[in-house]
Amino acid sequence: MTDGLRVRPGQVRLLGAVELAGPGGPVPLATGARRLLAVLGLRGGEIVGWAQLSAAGIDPVALDRDSAALAGGLARGGLRGALQTRAAGMRLAGRYVDVLRYHDELRRARSRRTAGDLPGAVTLYDRALARWRSDTPLDGIALTGWAAAEAKRLRESRTRAREERWDCVLRTAAAAVRASGAPVADRAAVRAGIDATKAAEVAASELEAGVVRHPLRERRWELLLTATLLSRGRAAARSVYERALQTFADQLGVEPGERLRALAAAAERGDIAELPAPARPQPRMPRRVAAPPVPLTSLLGRDALLDDIDVRLAGHRLVTLVGPGGAGKTRLAIAAAGRPWASASVAAATDEAGALLGEQASAGGPVAWFVDLTVVDRPGKVPAAVAETLGLRQDPGLDPVDAIAEEIGAHEVLLVLDNCEHLVAGCGELARQLLARCPGLRILATSRAPLRADDEAIVPVPPLPLPTAVAGHTLADLATHAATRLFLERAQARGRPVPEGSADAVAQLCVELDGLPLAIELAAARTPLLSVPEIVARIRTDQRLLHSPDPTTPPRHRTVAAAVESSLEQLPPDVQVFFDRLAVFAGGFDTGAADAMRAGASSDPTALDQLVNASLVEENAGRYRLLMPIRRHALARLHADAPAARTAHAAHYLRVAEAADTDLRGHAQEVGLARLRADAANLRAAMSWLAEARPSAVPYGDLRLATALAMFCRVEGHYQEARAWLAAALARHPAPPSCCAVPPPPTPPCSRCCCATTPPPPSTPAPPAPRTAPSATAGPRPGWR
């Protein structure tokens, strides 16, 4: 068996002296950078927190210098980008670290050994052990705390692996020797027996050196006695047993254990068949790797949503959190992964695999693995990215899905796939394959679009709850609403608490941001420089204000615009144009209005559904809307197309108003009132555009719309507003065409009704109001104002 290993370009080698191997050989590193490489390599693929780095012996004062030196060395070694700095700590890509490859090969070898494939196990043991360049891992590096304990466990792992390999060799040899001594053994069996004897002789020589290094490891004496019996006979085996007796008596004052004594008695009889069976392997617990990052801030207003996720995970094996960028899906998934999500499924397990899961859960509990897919650029790379995060080997020709499935096995594992929106097809396919092969696996995904996989449970993640009003608040009131409390806490953390006099401004700001957590946090980041009223005034005109000052923030969370753009990138160009045009809607809209806007942008009838699935448009009971921060970004993108979009918007709502006016004068008053009330904000926006736009936009559009809304204004009590509209329109069009003429009696003329600042006198006949409408003297309805 060899101890050398061919140097591969781009390797972090810890199984011996700490070394960074590049294409041209070892890359020189200073002591501090080598120590940092060793510590991060021990947890390859995981984020090592700042406190963990310090506990392992990393000097916090020199950390910036050492990390810069290590990053430079990795770049020279062909591993540019392998070192990543996060808010929670640092991470070294695991695929380059020999320790993780060693552990992966060792697990495969043990799996083969348990399955009875001893020759295959020996091959894998040899491959794993060949990665060791000396007996001492991380040689020459002084470590403390958990890192020193990890290095000690590595040494013990190598010792056990060598013993397990010898056990496989000797069991194969014993079977061959027994077969060669059978009465009907053929020539091939005899040759195999001779080869087995030679293999046992080699093993005996290595084990002699092994018992010298570890004289009190009884397992090594057992293996040496077996190898000696197979290669040299009973007398030599008896001598080995006597040496073991003497060694234990001299150093411990006791005799060896029962198993060695039984093996010696069988060897004395020459009975190879009574070799003791290997100990039943303990159920392998899932590794504690790729743990979800530790949150640095509290989670607000999501208790009910967390309970819903618990229920979904208990009943479904694939749950996807869907919401717009910046809604807090990642933070919510991290919180959900830290709750007892596995209890229901473990209790319900009744088959053999379920029994094993229950045993493992009671022994060590289920684990959660967290995989951030932000930097993955193609759906086909998803399995490899997950395998790398878990520290699994990725040799050419080896399917990473197989490696992941073998690692999970029948264990109770929650796999969190974060930021799947640009990899929907890849994540859905990986989920399908893993869930079919791993009975204890559950997957919690975060995405702006569903994965569209079988039995997927979708949990919408809405913005945070807002105050019902924007005036008359105190800071104590605001602390009871999740959105405003988030702003207050983040502003406090920035060192500038909000004064009591700005309470109403905070409520107004959070309403302007539609309760979107990312937008609120970005606004709170400006409190050291701007007052809350100044922030409110600025965000209405300058989207650049909502920009994270933290350079470690992921690009998609540095601005609301970046979050929106990352979603739009996944959509066809014509759908993106359609999204931009939707910015002209003030408030909600229905499918008819959306189709009117789509006519100038996209011929795809599914365009609106695509935007809803991408969490760029919200849908509720047949009505749609854009969250205010998203709408502002869409307006910024609209540019030269804005006049055409606003004209199409105004023309549509002119048709709506004229159709509803007909309803109000007939038997469909309820329908007409409901329609106009729902689109009150859009009707105002249309009137504003028609009054300001060139006359050619919609001929006499302002006058037609003011006339069409006259009856609605009378029923709702909006006399002054209607009078202003109609008076301004008549001033712009002193000679309106016949299509804009007021209706003849007995219906009261629209101009006379709308121009009155007070209700008509009792002598003036008025049409009967609908049963659900207020009288002409009632104040403005909330739906309009």
Side-chain angles (χ1 to χ4, degrees), residues 15 93 118 150 182 206 261 277 332 361 389 458 511 520 637 670 746:
L15 301 177
L118 300 182
E150 289 280 356
E206 293 184 358
R261 292 198 299 270
L332 189 61
T389 302
I458 298 174
V511 170
I520 292 173
R637 287 171 48 98
E670 296 277 357

Side-chain angles (χ1 to χ4, degrees), residues 482-503:
T484 48
R485 181 180 173 186
L486 176 64
F487 182 88
L488 295 175
E489 289 192 1
R490 298 301 186 263
Q492 176 79 30
R494 291 284 179 177
R496 186 174 179 180
V498 175
E500 186 68 42
S502 295

